[in-house]
Each structure stands twice: as structure tokens, then as C-alpha cells.
């Protein structure tokens, strides 16, 4: 009597489940990496825009040849459709011909400083 063996090629249910588990873990890791990259890109974008707002404030003081008095000022600016709030702190320096100006910028409604820029202005505005 001839016994015929059935050598049908295929995967067992356990092998399929293991393969699906590995695939789902890989896809979850890919999604997490993508989300982190998107978040990082948004943070870099906000930091860049905030830096531009601070640079614009310093450029405005320089262009007007303003020698600001010591103290604090604040204002608002819009960059790329995003509302920012800036705070300017001006301090005396040991040299009376110079003032130290710190400009901190944050997204409107937040307290986290996205950028801080320091400049030294002279009586001539440069």
C-alpha cells in the first residue's frame, strides 16, 4: 500500500500571528518616529520665527538710532501668521555709551521663551 504524504506548503496560524505582531510593532515605531519628526519640525519653525521677531525688534531700535532708557517694554508681532509677544529689557553697562538690550520672544498666550536675543546699542544707534 502506498502512503502518500501531503507536503502542502503554507504557513501555520501561529507563524502568521507572529509575522503580524512583528509588522504591527514596526509600524507603531514608524508612526512614533514620524510624529516626533513632525513635532521637532514645528518647534524649529517656532524658534526660527521667534528669532526673526527678536532680530526685527533689535533692527528697529538700530534703524531708529534709539538709545533706550533702562527698563522693560513689551509688544506684539506677527510672523508667518503666528502671533508672538516680545519683552525687551534694557540695562545700563559699565560704559555709559552702551546699553544692553535683551529681547525675549514667546508665542502669544504662552510663557515659554522661544528665543532670547541680546544686543548692545550705542548712543549713535549701532
Amino acid at each position: 500500500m502506498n502512503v502518500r504524504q501531503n507536503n502542502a506548503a503554507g504557513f501555520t496560524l501561529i507563524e502568521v500571528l507572529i509575522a503580524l505582531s512583528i509588522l504591527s510593532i514596526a509600524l507603531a515605531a514608524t508612526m512614533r518616529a514620524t510624529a516626533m519628526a513632525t513635532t521637532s519640525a514645528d518647534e524649529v519653525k517656532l524658534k526660527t520665527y521667534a528669532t526673526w521677531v527678536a532680530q526685527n525688534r533689535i533692527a528697529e531700535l538700530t534703524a531708529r538710532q534709539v538709545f533706550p532708557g533702562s527698563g522693560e517694554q513689551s509688544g506684539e508681532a506677527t510672523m508667518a501668521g503666528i502671533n508672538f509677544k516680545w519683552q525687551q529689557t534694557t540695562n545700563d553697562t559699565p560704559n555709559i555709551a552702551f546699553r544692553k538690550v535683551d529681547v525675549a520672544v514667546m508665542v502669544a498666550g504662552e510663557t515659554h521663551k522661544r528665543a532670547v536675543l541680546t544686543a548692545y546699542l550705542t548712543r549713535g544707534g549701532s
Side-chain angles (χ1 to χ4, degrees):
M1 183 165 202
N2 254 344
V3 176
R4 200 167 178 207
Q5 290 188 4
N6 188 2
N7 287 335
F11 295 105
T12 65
L13 181 59
I14 296 293
E15 290 171 331
V16 170
L17 288 175
I18 290 172
L20 287 175
S21 296
I22 292 170
L23 184 62
S24 68
I25 290 169
L27 289 175
T30 302
M31 291 299 290
R32 179 166 165 77
T34 302
M36 288 176 65
T38 301
T39 301
S40 280
D42 287 342
E43 289 296 319
V44 168
K45 178 179 76 170
L46 288 174
K47 184 172 180 68
T48 300
Y49 292 156
T51 301
W52 290 348
V53 169
Q55 289 174 339
N56 285 348
R57 180 64 187 152
I58 296 295
E60 181 182 348
L61 293 172
T62 303
R64 290 185 179 178
Q65 297 186 348
V66 172
F67 190 66
S70 295
E72 294 187 5
Q73 285 184 302
S74 62
E76 296 179 356
T78 300
M79 180 69 64
I82 302 169
N83 294 325
F84 290 95
K85 188 173 92 172
W86 54 264
Q87 293 176 331
Q88 174 185 317
T89 305
T90 305
N91 293 308
D92 292 327
T93 63
N95 184 336
I96 60 170
F98 289 89
R99 294 269 165 77
K100 178 183 176 188
V101 178
D102 294 308
V103 179
V105 181
M106 66 261 343
V107 174
E110 293 183 2
T111 57
H112 171 68
K113 294 177 183 173
R114 300 289 178 163
V116 178
L117 188 64
T118 300
Y120 290 89
L121 300 179
T122 65
R123 290 194 187 276
S126 58

